[in-house]
Amino acid sequence: MLCLPGFAGPSTGRTSLATVSPGALRPGPAGPPPSLLDPAVERDPYPLYRTLREHFPLVYDAPFGAWLVSRYADVRTAIEDPRLVAPPPGRTPAHQVDGPHRALASAAFRGPAPAALAAGVERTAYVLARRLAGRREADLVAEFCHWLPAAAAVAALGLPYEDTARVHAWCRTGLDHLGGHHPELDAFLRPYLARRRAHPGTDLLSVLCTARVDGRPLPDEAVTGLAGTLLGAGGDTTARALASFLANLLDHPAQLAAVRARPELASGAWAESLRRDPPLHVVLRRAAEPVGAVPAGATVACLLGAAGRDPARFADPDRYDAFRTDPGHLAYGSGHHSCPGTLLARLTAEHGLNALLAAAPDLRWAPGFRPTGEGLVSRSPRALLVRCR
Ligand code: HEM
């Protein structure tokens, strides 16, 4: 059985579990533990993450209402621990999926769906990037990152391109996790479902309509729920990660040039961005039973953003290094609940980058611009102002 710092139970021999002293769980020299809800944290969470890792590796954050876990080894242990289960209703962040839909989601997105999506992603990336080609300046968040995953999903699902904006709007406002159906999206999709069930094609909606889980076809609600995940939570997370990826490369023109010259470097550059700047900073769990100091029923916040910058795991962790050779980021989670959308997300990032560089070979920051991150649970640059030519 795995255990966390200060948790009762046999040690697995993982370094941090063996080395955390009980004193580390007491308030440090600076006084009581800070909270995730401190307004300064949303502006820049990294000083808090450092304090937590160094002085409070497992601590109850009363204003946030959760136990915080911040060291890499402990975050990994916590997200893989079967005693820490899906969070309570109402505390599920946008990207976490609850209930019976989890198995369906994993099966569908790990099956043939990514292949059906790849073509849509590539086509859409080039269409969006070409629109920026003649422009002097653009905001890549509002005009590219925000649209690419959603427009690619619309294309891959075989829905009309003209409907992208309204489908995207429904998903951003109404669908925050799988199974959270948006009535307008449901009503919009139903006629397409009926047609694809009768005459399946090669698009993703047909793949989902003809998919079988445990020998049975997916019911309509499951298909619309999966389409909603793709268009909504999965797309939003990918859009945020793409924005951070572009920001990191634009901040390091030599690395950007290297990735352009050698496209095989792109997947490492993407993974490094997910380590340094994951789009989801917090993954929540609920203790199904007492786990060391954490009582049954309590919420545990696994801080992915803190884990990726842990100097005990990554050398010089604040530095973006597309050539880093020690992979192992936790941005997709780990273990049983880990993200089934990784391939799709990587394809989106790689096609997105290639398309932008093809359309705007001299892409660079607009004069004087510096990106600013925003968000606590989901975090990414608010804007990316660039010169396109
Ligand atoms: C860079 C992009 C992405 C990141 C960083 C990301 C991150 C994550 C994380 C951290 C989790 C685990 C949550 C937990 O442990 O409770 C997760 C789960 C999940 N993600 Fe993603 N995700 C991304 C893209 C996508 C996309 C594109 C899709 C849709 C195809 C997707 C679908 C899902 C689903 C269905 C789950 C639930 C899996 C389960 O509980 O078994 N994600 N994701």
Side-chain angles (χ1 to χ4, degrees), residues 13-250:
R14 288 187 184 218
T15 49
S16 74
L17 305 183
T19 54
V20 168
S21 72
L25 304 183
R26 289 199 297 270
S35 170
L36 274 185
L37 294 189
D38 181 329
V41 172
E42 187 167 344
R43 283 195 297 279
D44 179 6
Y46 294 103
L48 170 75
Y49 292 164
R50 191 175 312 117
T51 304
L52 290 172
R53 281 191 312 261
E54 288 174 4
H55 299 292
F56 308 98
L58 174 69
V59 69
Y60 187 66
D61 179 345
F64 190 66
W67 291 78
L68 308 182
V69 183
S70 48
R71 293 180 178 172
Y72 177 93
D74 299 333
V75 168
R76 179 171 202 144
T77 300
I79 50 183
E80 291 178 356
D81 192 320
R83 297 170 297 174
L84 299 174
V85 297
R91 292 217 66 174
T92 309
H95 204 54
Q96 287 187 255
V97 179
D98 203 358
H101 292 100
R102 173 170 289 127
L104 298 181
S106 298
F109 289 121
R110 288 198 169 106
L117 278 159
V121 174
E122 186 169 17
R123 206 171 45 243
T124 310
Y126 278 89
V127 170
L128 288 175
R130 256 205 314 273
R131 288 196 194 153
L132 303 179
R135 299 265 302 280
R136 183 171 163 75
E137 254 181 46
D139 173 3
L140 294 181
V141 168
E143 300 176 64
F144 192 77
C145 303
H146 180 75
W147 291 105
L148 177 56
V154 164
L157 287 164
L159 303 172
Y161 183 75
E162 314 76 74
D163 286 313
T164 304
R166 62 182 180 139
V167 168
H168 191 32
W170 292 331
C171 293
R172 287 181 73 82
T173 53
L175 274 174
D176 58 1
H177 65 93
L178 196 59
H181 297 280
H182 194 295
E184 283 164 304
L185 179 68
D186 271 12
F188 171 77
L189 287 175
R190 293 282 169 157
Y192 289 99
L193 259 62
R195 268 177 256 151
R196 300 299 200 283
R197 288 205 193 275
H199 307 287
T202 54
D203 57 72
L204 180 60
L205 208 51
S206 300
V207 170
L208 295 175
C209 284
T210 52
R212 294 190 162 258
V213 175
D214 295 333
R216 286 196 299 275
L218 298 181
D220 280 4
E221 311 79 72
V223 174
T224 54
L226 286 164
T229 298
L230 192 60
L231 291 158
D236 183 60
T237 310
T238 308
R240 289 175 180 280
L242 177 61
S244 295
F245 179 47
L246 295 173
N248 277 319
L249 287 174
L250 286 163

Side-chain angles (χ1 to χ4, degrees), residues 305-333:
R309 304 270 188 121
D310 186 345
R313 174 62 181 78
F314 299 105
D316 200 359
D318 293 333
R319 192 162 59 94
Y320 178 77
D321 177 3
F323 314 111
R324 197 177 276 275
T325 51
D326 51 352
H329 70 75
L330 299 176
Y332 291 122

